[in-house]
């Protein structure tokens, strides 16, 4: 109750600011009344370091098991073992929630100190994308889109630029495909949520989606791994929705009758075909299949 009251009084007075989460078809965007990170951390100078410490403590077990986001993020050998990563640290979700409810850093472009205050959170938030708990991954993806400093320009290669974050997610998704484990599947789901959130919060997602590595990765997962079913249905669902958003943005940018990319349509058909195969198998019960089927039926 104290945390909820503090969120309303200090961060954002709009109780419904988050609308629907990204994985339920909503934008996951913050409200216009939310405080910026610069304002928050300048009003409460010790808060930034405290939140960073709390976030690192919350994922300390993850860092111990998988070393670092730049190393063996998908290390094997922990399957079936119970570690502290199996549980959500009390501080982890509240910190991610607070970060996700701030005004996006990209809207503080006139203040050069904004990224100095928020970039230290990026690495830890990306680690949370592969947490075993679904809601932690959802909140981490939303927090990452808030920490993003913009589409690029002169700062295209900065740590928190949208192009750099999408490139990093693409690299990690590619790495995850070589490890068929629950840890890799969790990471695929979280990273795809991050890609979706970053594209949805961009003014020109169709331009970012032209990156060859990102496109190839999303295309493969959107087709349910070329019809092999080698990834969870929820991953295919999010990949299809992210691709559909880029296609729709391309249509709006052209302001003309837009013919959808045949590769996108083929990916949808491939996923639907795989769904039909599973539906005919009475012994098969795949988690997330119903959500994928519902999403595929609503895609343009």
């Amino acid at each position: 109750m104290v945390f909820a009251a503090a969120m309303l009084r200090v961060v954002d007075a709009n109780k419904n600011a988050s609308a629907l989460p990204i994985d339920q078809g909503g934008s996951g965007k913050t409200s216009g009344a939310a405080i910026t990170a610069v304002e928050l951390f300048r009003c409460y100078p010790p808060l930034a370091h405290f939140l960073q410490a709390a976030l690192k403590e919350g994922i300390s077990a993850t860092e111990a098991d998988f070393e670092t986001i730049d190393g063996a993020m998908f290390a094997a050998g922990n399957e079936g073992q119970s570690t502290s990563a199996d549980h959500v640290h009390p501080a982890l979700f509240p910190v991610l929630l607070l970060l996700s409810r701030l005004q996006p850093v990209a809207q503080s472009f006139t203040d050069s100190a904004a990224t100095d205050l928020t970039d230290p959170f990026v690495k830890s938030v990306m680690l949370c994308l592969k947490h075993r708990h679904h809601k932690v991954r959802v909140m981490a993806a939303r927090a990452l889109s808030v920490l993003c400093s913009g589409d690029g320009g002169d700062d295209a290669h900065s740590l928190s630029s949208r192009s750099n974050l999408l490139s990093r997610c693409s690299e990690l998704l590619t790495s995850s495909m070589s490890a068929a484990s629950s840890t890799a599947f969790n990471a695929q789901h979280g990273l795809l949520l991050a890609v979706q959130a970053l594209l949805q919060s961009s003014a020109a997602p169709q331009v970012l989606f032209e990156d060859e590595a990102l496109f190839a990765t999303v295309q493969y997962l959107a087709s349910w791994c070329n019809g092999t079913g080698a990834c969870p249905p929820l991953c295919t669902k999010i990949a299809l929705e992210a691709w559909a958003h880029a296609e729709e943005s391309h249509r709006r940018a052209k302001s003309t009758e837009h013919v959808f990319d045949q590769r996108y349509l083929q990916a949808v058909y491939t996923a639907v075909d795989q769904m039909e195969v599973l539906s005919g198998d009475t012994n098969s019960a795949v988690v997330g299949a119903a959500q994928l089927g519902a999403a595929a039926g609503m895609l343009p």
Side-chain angles (χ1 to χ4, degrees):
M1 292 179 65
V2 173
F3 176 76
M7 286 286 293
L8 290 173
R9 290 176 179 272
V10 179
V11 179
D12 189 358
N14 187 349
K15 294 182 179 180
N16 299 315
S18 300
L20 287 175
I22 292 168
D23 69 333
Q24 293 182 17
S27 66
K29 294 181 180 178
T30 55
S31 74
I35 192 173
T36 66
V38 174
E39 292 173 321
L40 179 65
F41 296 144
R42 282 180 177 170
C43 288
Y44 307 96
L47 185 60
H49 295 294
F50 171 78
L51 292 177
Q52 290 171 32
L55 193 57
K56 290 179 179 178
E57 182 181 353
I59 60 175
S60 59
T62 301
E63 289 184 321
D65 290 341
F66 302 96
E67 296 181 9
T68 171
I69 195 75
D70 296 315
M73 184 178 181
F74 309 101
N78 293 318
E79 295 300 315
Q81 298 180 17
S82 177
T83 69
S84 54
D86 293 338
H87 310 285
V88 180
H89 187 279
L92 187 57
F93 190 86
V95 173
L96 291 172
L97 175 61
L98 187 153
L99 293 174
S100 72
R101 294 287 291 271
L102 297 173
Q103 281 283 353
V105 174
Q107 296 183 13
S108 301
F109 59 90
T110 57
D111 195 329
S112 59
T115 53
D116 293 338
L117 292 168
T118 56
D119 278 2
F121 288 96
V122 171
K123 177 181 175 181
S124 296
V125 170
M126 288 198 70
L127 276 170
C128 293
L129 291 173
K130 57 94 171 180
H131 199 280
R132 74 186 303 268
H133 287 279
H134 175 272
K135 288 301 181 184
V136 172
R137 300 195 297 270
V138 171
M139 200 55 61
R142 289 171 56 180
L144 191 65
S145 69
V146 168
L147 297 173
C148 174
S149 58
D151 284 3
D154 296 335
D155 298 324
H157 300 292
S158 67
L159 174 65
S160 58
S161 71
R162 201 179 313 275
S163 56
N164 185 64
L165 291 175
L166 284 170
S167 176
R168 192 72 187 109
C169 288
S170 177
E171 292 173 4
L172 292 170
L173 278 168
T174 302
S175 299
S176 74
M177 294 175 193
S178 61
S181 65
S182 60
T183 299
F185 292 154
N186 287 339
Q188 288 172 8
H189 177 252
L191 289 164
L192 282 168
L193 282 173
V195 168
Q196 183 182 30
L198 289 166
L199 289 176
Q200 287 184 342
S201 57
S202 169
Q206 72 280 8
V207 176
L208 295 166
F209 201 62
E210 291 175 356
D211 178 80
E212 292 183 4
L214 176 64
F215 177 82
T217 302
V218 173
Q219 179 186 18
Y220 176 73
L221 291 167
S223 65
W224 211 344
C225 302
N226 293 332
T228 63
C231 71
L234 280 178
C235 292
T236 296
K237 169 184 176 291
I238 298 164
L240 281 171
E241 290 174 342
W243 195 348
H245 179 72
E247 285 287 318
E248 182 63 22
S249 298
H250 183 64
R251 182 189 67 79
R252 291 196 301 267
K254 291 291 184 180
S255 299
T256 58
E257 187 66 26
H258 172 62
V259 178
F260 280 97
D261 191 323
Q262 289 298 316
R263 292 169 296 182
Y264 164 73
L265 298 176
Q266 184 59 46
V268 176
Y269 296 149
T270 302
V272 171
D273 287 343
Q274 185 68 13
M275 284 292 302
E276 292 177 350
V277 171
L278 287 175
S279 64
D281 184 358
T282 57
N283 296 320
S284 176
V286 182
V287 176
Q291 293 95 317
L292 172 58
M298 297 173 61
L299 290 173

